[in-house]
Amino acid sequence: MAAMRQSESLDARFYQAADQFFPANNKLALTFDDVTLATLYSEILPRDTQLDTQLAENLRLNIPVISSDMDTVTESRMAIAMAANGGLGLIHYNMPERQQLSEVSRVKNHVHGLIQEPIQVAPDQLIGDVLALIEQKKFGFSTFPVVDDKGKLVGLLSGHVVKPRYAKRKVADALTPRAQVHTITQKELGKDPIARADKFFNEHLGIHKLLVVDDKDNLRGLFTMSDIERITQERNAQFKPARDARFHLICGAAVSATRNAFGELDRERILNHVGALVERGVDVVAVSTAHGHSQGVGDTVRVLRDAFPKLPIIAGNVTGAAGVEYLAECGANAIKVGQGPGSICTTRNVAGVGIPQMTALYVCSRAAAKKKVSILADGGIVKSGDIVKALTLSQAVICGGIFAGCNEAPGDVMEIGGKLYKQYRGMGSLAAMKSGSAARYGQPANPTQKVAAEGIEALKEACGSVDRVLAQLIGGIQSGMGYLGAANLTQLRDRARYIRVSPAGMREAAPHDVVELKTGS
Ligand code: XMP
């Protein structure tokens, strides 16, 4: 027993808790690769760890991961994928306000498994036209609802008849007529549409499609048996979708500290905009700027807190305790921490300011604990190990670059030299600021070449679906928690023990002295 205590105290001299380690290293700003976490005795298997996190009284995620409010990262497709995996997407604001509202509506109205705008064909089209459409759009399916010019369902064009030999026939002559098509009304879907569709497919042997109509028989959606089967399997997954009290996926939206022509905060416009977002069901707004410890951001948060007492508010970005305290006192629930760590950021080079992320997170986390607000580690995350380290000091992470190459990020895939890429740009890049984000960097609304950009335009290699990327990240987080014997994120924060890493130690941490055949991901 005495030997055990001696070994523990030896460990403790080298591997220190945050409140010892960071103050002892207060002359040097540290980021993820500068530190490593020590293992601890564990009775926890990675797969048994829980990743849920509370960001505000009314905002709980099932995984602690948020996609950035950037115009090459989060619109409705990304936000749907993030929430479906238990996280959150913040819809960016580099678009007209009306468009942002409809992006939020798309997420809030999304019924997992229901194709809400199915590809449809018209009765007077030729089967040859439908074949050309399939070829042009590379559809992997050939059954289509047939709808007249008023949106009314007139039948179903089955894949069995979409064949070149019938190319000259009209859709109207080949369709399964309305009376024989299986449909369900929106009202009949009830609270659990997936269970309802699953029951239908059980009861109707050999039927693989179920169409959804409204009271006037207008087409409103389509269920396919394969989607329902996949989702029913996923329901047994460990991390459930993040939903609101009405069972809708959760969604966040970014807003800026908009100013009027006189340079004053445009309170009325901000209130109208956020009011409309709230009407659409938004679960959280993020007042997103490069410098959150500033009057404009504080006043915006105050105005919103007064008008919407229960609305979760994220605000930022800051890197110091005073900034956290200020935004918390203005009414923010969660504070974004990060100035200049992002993969496309140049703030530290251009402005000479910003703090490496682990030190910033430590300082901010101690102020946040006093103010009972959450901390979001925003930027600089390139691997799951960075997330584990960030979560030892924060309640969730915000990632841009990791998701920018995913299918669900806005923008097209491009091929360069035989490889596939997607565009990824900083919101402080000149191109993004011209599209609307200039206020975020305190720049005039229509910046010219003279403005100092604080971000770059870049490419990310296309990396498939968000589901796949998140599965890798979650696996890494759970593995880290297993090593620390942490069953949940609170225990991870309590149990973390840190030590500095030398440059040689950093080299040792990556694959070395081998010819790599396959990457770990
Ligand atoms: P990652 O490393 O995940 O970082 O790609 C995403 C985060 O970077 C911030 N961001 C910027 N910071 N100039 C900056 O200094 C920019 O142009 C810029 N654009 C985004 C933002 O916090 C984001 O979540």
Side-chain angles (χ1 to χ4, degrees):
M1 198 63 194
M4 174 88 161
R5 273 203 294 274
Q6 206 180 22
S7 68
E8 279 177 357
S9 79
L10 185 59
D11 280 347
R13 270 174 48 215
F14 283 83
Y15 312 136
Q16 295 176 325
D19 285 329
Q20 279 177 288
F21 174 79
F22 287 98
N25 283 279
N26 67 359
K27 300 281 186 294
L28 200 61
L30 303 174
T31 191
F32 302 120
D33 279 349
D34 292 319
V35 300
T36 191
L37 298 169
T39 57
L40 289 175
Y41 171 73
S42 179
E43 294 178 357
I44 306 295
L45 288 176
R47 64 165 185 267
D48 296 331
T49 55
Q50 295 300 320
L51 298 186
D52 51 307
T53 186
Q54 189 89 35
L55 302 186
E57 200 185 323
N58 302 326
L59 185 63
R60 189 173 191 81
L61 309 186
N62 294 327
I63 62 165
V65 186
I66 299 173
S67 64
S68 283
D69 48 315
M70 296 173 71
D71 61 6
T72 46
V73 180
T74 311
E75 291 180 356
S76 52
R77 266 189 84 194
M78 177 63 72
I80 288 167
M82 291 301 298
N85 279 287
L88 170 71
L90 297 174
I91 309 257
H92 70 88
Y93 56 51
N94 247 6
M95 57 175 99
E97 288 174 6
R98 260 202 347 254
Q99 193 185 333
Q100 196 195 35
L101 294 177
S102 64
E103 290 293 313
V104 169
S105 288
R106 276 200 189 128
V107 184
K108 296 308 295 182
N109 295 332
H110 179 79
V111 178
H112 199 31
L114 173 66
I115 303 164
Q116 271 167 329
E117 287 165 13
I119 309 294
Q120 34 190 275
V121 295
D124 54 0
Q125 277 183 290
L126 297 176
I127 301 271
D129 299 334
V130 179
L131 284 164
L133 181 75
I134 294 173
E135 171 66 23
Q136 185 202 346
K137 302 275 186 187
K138 308 259 177 294
F139 289 145
F141 53 88
S142 55
T143 297
F144 300 88
V146 186
V147 168
D148 69 15
D149 54 3
K150 295 193 181 65
K152 268 207 174 21
L153 181 66
V154 291
L156 187 70
L157 185 69
S158 154
H160 300 130
V161 294
V162 183
K163 304 280 180 215
R165 71 170 65 240
Y166 307 128
K168 298 257 154 40
R169 301 280 194 99
K170 274 199 160 177
V171 167
D173 301 333
L175 56 73
T176 306
R178 168 68 186 94
Q180 289 167 33
V181 176
H182 292 278
T183 59
I184 187 167
T185 62
Q186 284 173 309
K187 280 192 194 128
E188 287 169 325
L189 287 177
K191 239 190 145 234
D192 192 346
I194 301 297
R196 184 68 193 82
D198 195 41
K199 181 164 178 279
F200 169 87
F201 289 124
N202 277 340
E203 289 166 354
H204 295 78
L205 211 69
I207 304 297
H208 291 199
K209 304 268 188 289
L210 173 63
L211 302 186
V212 181
V213 290
D214 64 15
D215 293 345
K216 299 198 171 96
D217 216 30
N218 293 313
L219 181 67
R220 290 293 177 227
L222 163 70
F223 286 109
T224 72
M225 189 163 78
S226 53
D227 281 353
I228 297 299
E229 281 176 351
R230 182 175 49 77
I231 292 162
T232 323
Q233 280 165 11
E234 279 169 12
R235 283 196 161 183
N236 300 326
Q238 194 180 0
F239 302 108
K240 307 272 182 267
R243 298 189 189 279
D244 63 18
R246 294 167 56 222
F247 213 63
H248 294 162
L249 293 179
I250 63 166
C251 178
V255 296
S256 73
T258 312
R259 291 180 184 276
N260 62 22
F262 308 105
E264 298 153 349
L265 200 65
D266 197 338
R267 286 158 206 267
E268 200 182 324
R269 184 164 162 200
I270 294 169
L271 282 175
N272 287 341
H273 179 46
V274 173
L277 285 167
V278 168
E279 252 171 49
R280 304 280 176 124
V282 84
D283 299 276
V284 53
V285 292
V287 184
S288 285
T289 66
H291 188 14
H293 191 186
S294 58
Q295 192 184 10
V297 179
D299 287 349
T300 305
V301 173
R302 269 199 206 99
V303 165
L304 294 177
R305 178 49 69 230
D306 284 351
F308 307 99
K310 295 232 172 292
L311 178 69
I313 299 176
I314 295 172
N317 285 26
V318 300
T319 42
V324 170
E325 203 175 79
Y326 173 69
L327 290 175
E329 283 170 4
C330 292
N333 306 97
I335 318 281
K336 291 198 212 180
V337 174
Q339 285 170 322
S343 55
I344 35 50
C345 300
T346 53
T347 297
R348 296 203 194 142
N349 291 337
V350 171
V353 297
I355 305 290
Q357 216 39 357
M358 285 301 279
T359 296
L361 286 171
Y362 172 74
V363 173
C364 291
S365 67
R366 271 38 195 175
K370 283 206 182 107
K371 287 286 171 190
K372 299 197 174 13
V373 292
S374 321
I375 287 290
L376 310 175
D378 182 11
I381 283 163
V382 293
K383 48 195 183 300
S384 53
D386 299 342
I387 302 185
V388 178
K389 293 173 191 176
L391 289 174
T392 63
L393 298 166
S394 66
Q395 278 67 37
V397 296
I398 301 183
C399 302
I402 276 188
F403 297 125
C406 291
N407 304 339
E408 293 84 349
D412 293 327
V413 172
M414 51 191 123
E415 190 180 334
I416 302 172
K419 279 197 162 179
L420 301 179
Y421 298 90
K422 291 189 85 161
Q423 192 198 11
Y424 180 42
R425 67 185 188 189
M427 293 295 275
S429 66
L430 206 60
M433 287 201 288
K434 279 185 177 159
S435 306
S437 60
R440 180 172 178 144
Y441 293 86
Q443 304 282 4
N446 296 308
T448 65
Q449 291 294 341
K450 284 185 193 135
V451 159
E454 288 182 33
I456 59 162
E457 293 172 61
L459 294 176
K460 287 293 288 188
E461 227 176 282
C463 59
S465 70
V466 167
D467 291 3
R468 194 183 139 268
V469 171
L470 272 176
Q472 288 284 327
L473 298 179
I474 297 298
I477 301 171
Q478 292 193 293
S479 174
M481 292 169 72
Y483 278 117
L484 268 67
N488 54 45
L489 294 176
T490 308
Q491 290 183 11
L492 177 68
R493 289 193 291 275
D494 289 346
R495 292 173 69 87
R497 298 291 180 270
Y498 310 80
I499 186 163
R500 291 272 325 267
V501 177
S502 68
M506 219 185 298
R507 269 198 306 282
E508 186 186 67
H512 55 87
D513 300 306
V514 290
V515 178
E516 199 164 322
L517 292 178
K518 276 189 184 167
T519 62
S521 57

